[in-house]
Amino acid sequence: MSAGETLYHRLGGKEQISSIVDAFYERVLADDSVAQFFEDVDMAAQRAHQTQFLSAVAGGPVEYDGQDMREAHEGMGIEPHHFAAIATHLEAALREFDVPDDDVQAIMSEVAALEDDVVLQ
């Protein structure tokens, strides 16, 4: 791994990130505590959107063009325990793909920073 290699490249680029996102949503949709948030969601579009988001967060050659986090989650009723469950599923998906601990922590730190914009009470 070169010194200038981004997290995006260490994760395996778009194809591998897409696979991680697929594993993440398999976990999320199997979890009755959070699956209801995705009942009326076009999951193909959601997976593509999440792949774009994670790629951008990881420093990839991708510009995130989705809604503002606060705007996207407003009125959904997401509570702290929902956010924690989603984060747990993301971490498990990253570990399923043998992402190194430092990289998992870097991604999870980025996700944690979004909590106030996702959990709107």
Side-chain angles (χ1 to χ4, degrees), residues 96-114:
E96 178 181 332
F97 283 82
D98 298 321
V99 174
D101 286 343
D102 288 349
D103 291 341
V104 170
Q105 291 311 313
I107 292 168
M108 297 313 295
S109 291
E110 292 288 335
V111 169
L114 298 172

Side-chain angles (χ1 to χ4, degrees), residues 16-72:
Q16 187 75 349
I17 290 172
S18 180
S19 295
I20 291 168
V21 168
D22 286 343
F24 163 66
Y25 279 118
E26 286 175 19
R27 292 170 183 278
V28 168
L29 295 174
D31 181 346
D32 290 340
S33 74
V34 292
Q36 74 272 10
F37 294 112
F38 300 92
E39 286 177 356
D40 296 323
V41 173
D42 174 346
M43 288 308 296
Q46 182 66 24
R47 287 170 195 257
H49 170 79
Q50 189 66 28
T51 298
Q52 180 191 38
F53 174 75
L54 189 53
S55 295
V57 164
V62 176
E63 187 172 327
Y64 175 71
D65 62 6
Q67 281 183 302
D68 170 77
M69 284 294 148
R70 182 173 290 274
E71 183 180 310

